[in-house]
Structures are given as structure tokens and as C-alpha cells.
Amino acid sequence: MNEINNDVIGNVHKLETFGLVDGPGVRFVVFLKGCKMRCKFCHNPDTWKGQGEEWTARKLFERAKRYRTYWKDNGGITISGGEPLLQMEFVTALFSLAKKEGISTAVDTAGQPFSKEKLAQFRALADVTDLFILDLKEMDPEGHKELTGTDNSNILEMAQWLSDNGKKMWIRHVLVPGITDKQEDLEKMYSFISSLKTVERVEILPYHTLGVVKWAELGMSYPLDGVPVPTDEEINRAKALLHTE
């Protein structure tokens, strides 16, 4: 195994010191820059490109540790994005420091960069990651490509690898009326999730339009203009199909 460089530099979009929805307990959340997916409902398009603030893994860990008193027994550090798997070396270095001090680690990912060619690097990250929060956008390959610009076969492969290797997962699905709420697709998603051995939680994330202003600020037209947020009835129907809590 290659020696971990704790001075490797990460490209950071922003930090959140008191996250409550990005893993168990209170989390210090690091949002990284960079993503190759182009999800039509993305509420953080400002993370896709551009240079963020540069941090070394060592310095960012020291910053995160300041908030350890808030984490108590079940909080910790979560890396989100953007897409964390585009900066695996940096995340692995940061999490290696965290694990040496018994701190919980989680990655919030859409899985798009996963590949067998980089499996050794991914395995090193998985070794220091306690929880993978995986966004499953769509099960149908063509529907997934239409919605995100990319195929989903390697994303499903990653979920299977995590299951086969005993890595805990939370599964999240963004519910967009008329797009990601089709009964057949949700039933197929439930069947796939049921085949995985390490899924601890399944969550429905109702589509919202809070990120529309960012699209405008970036001079981009919003692809889902006019699409409504889901009703309580639509949310409950999806929860029933995915058998969530």
C-alpha cells in the first residue's frame, strides 16, 4: 500500500460546521469542487467546475477537530460535493487522520467516477470510510443518461462492490415529479436495493427549486423550469414503493 501523503491538496467549495442531514449525528461537512454529472435538478451547479479554496488534508483535519465536542458519540466528518470520488487521494488522507483518532467518516457520493481501473485507490478510501451515502438517481440506463448526462452501470457496480465488501450504505433518491417517480423504476430500484446486504437506510429526497437562483447566477438556463415539487401524496407513494421508514 502506498504511503499516505497528509499534505495532499484538496479543492474545497465550502465547509459546514454543524451538518445534521449528512450522516449520523452532528457532522463537519466538507463540500468539494468538481463533478462530471450534469443532473438537471442539481442545486449546487456552482460545484461543477472552477477552483475552490485549497486545503491540505492535515490542515483541514485540524480545522474539523475544533468541532469534535459537538459530535459526541455518533457524529463525525462527512465529505460531499461536487463529487468526492474525483479527489480520492485527498479524502483518503483526511479520513486516515480521522480514523487514527476514532472519528466517524462518511462519503456522500453519486458514484459516477467509480471504475475497476481505479479499484485499488477506491479500496484504500473504503478502508477508512465508515459510511457511504449513495445517491441513486434513476435505474433505467437511458433515463439516467437523459437526467444526468452519464450512464449508471458503474454506479450500480459500486453499490454491489460496497455490499460485497461489507461497507455500510445509506441510499438516497431525489423524487422529481414526472421524471424519477415512475412506479416501474421505483420497483426496480427497490429490487436492486433489496439485493444489497449492507444498506442501513433508504431516504426519499423531495425535489426542490432552492438551487434555481444559482443556475441564473451562472448564466445557465434551468432544465426543469416549471416542474413542481412533489406533493405529500407523491412522496408517501414513493416511500411505500421503496419501503422506507
Side-chain angles (χ1 to χ4, degrees):
M1 181 177 177
N2 294 332
E3 184 177 347
I4 292 174
N5 175 16
N6 293 325
D7 291 315
V8 62
I9 292 175
N11 192 5
V12 177
H13 176 61
K14 69 175 182 177
L15 306 176
E16 184 177 329
T17 58
F18 204 81
L20 298 174
V21 295
D22 301 283
V26 177
R27 316 292 296 187
F28 183 92
V29 188
V30 181
F31 295 87
L32 298 181
K33 275 279 197 175
C35 186
K36 293 183 179 179
M37 297 178 82
R38 294 294 180 262
C39 300
K40 292 183 176 180
F41 53 74
C42 182
H43 60 275
N44 288 319
D46 48 341
T47 66
W48 289 353
K49 299 179 181 179
Q51 183 68 34
E53 186 175 359
E54 291 187 349
W55 287 80
T56 67
R58 190 191 311 274
K59 288 185 178 179
L60 185 54
F61 178 65
E62 291 303 319
R63 168 66 70 87
K65 273 205 308 181
R66 298 180 190 177
Y67 302 91
R68 192 169 187 173
T69 54
Y70 297 107
W71 303 341
K72 299 184 178 178
D73 294 331
N74 66 335
I77 300 173
T78 296
I79 307 296
S80 187
E83 174 49 67
L85 299 189
L86 292 176
Q87 300 189 54
M88 278 196 287
E89 183 183 4
F90 175 73
V91 181
T92 301
L94 178 66
F95 280 5
S96 295
L97 293 168
K99 296 317 298 175
K100 287 177 181 178
E101 299 200 20
I103 295 171
S104 166
T105 56
V107 168
D108 185 356
T109 175
Q112 184 275 330
F114 179 81
S115 68
K116 293 179 179 178
E117 290 74 18
K118 294 185 178 180
L119 188 56
Q121 193 175 11
F122 182 79
R123 188 185 296 275
L125 171 60
D127 285 344
V128 290
T129 302
D130 296 312
L131 173 68
F132 284 84
I133 304 171
L134 177 61
D135 297 324
L136 289 184
K137 316 288 188 182
E138 182 89 10
M139 290 300 294
D140 177 70
E142 290 303 316
H144 192 279
K145 192 169 185 177
E146 170 65 23
L147 182 64
T148 71
T150 68
D151 186 44
N152 65 343
S153 58
N154 62 323
I155 296 170
L156 302 182
E157 285 178 7
M158 190 188 96
Q160 189 64 60
W161 188 94
L162 292 172
S163 173
D164 292 344
N165 286 273
K167 301 306 299 185
K168 295 179 182 178
M169 279 181 277
W170 288 6
I171 301 293
R172 287 176 168 174
H173 176 66
V174 178
L175 190 72
V176 186
I179 300 176
T180 67
D181 62 347
K182 300 178 185 67
Q183 180 170 337
E184 181 180 357
D185 202 65
L186 291 175
E187 289 175 344
K188 188 175 180 181
M189 184 173 291
Y190 173 66
S191 178
F192 175 71
I193 293 172
S194 298
S195 73
L196 304 174
K197 300 184 288 290
T198 57
V199 175
E200 294 189 333
R201 179 181 298 188
V202 180
E203 298 178 336
I204 292 290
L205 303 182
Y207 164 72
H208 62 74
T209 58
L210 298 178
V212 173
V213 64
K214 294 182 181 179
W215 287 75
E217 290 172 350
L218 293 169
M220 301 189 302
S221 59
Y222 186 61
L224 300 186
D225 186 35
V227 174
V229 299
T231 63
D232 289 343
E233 181 180 357
E234 289 169 329
I235 295 169
N236 290 333
R237 171 180 167 275
K239 286 182 176 180
L241 289 169
L242 289 182
H243 299 255
T244 66
E245 296 179 0

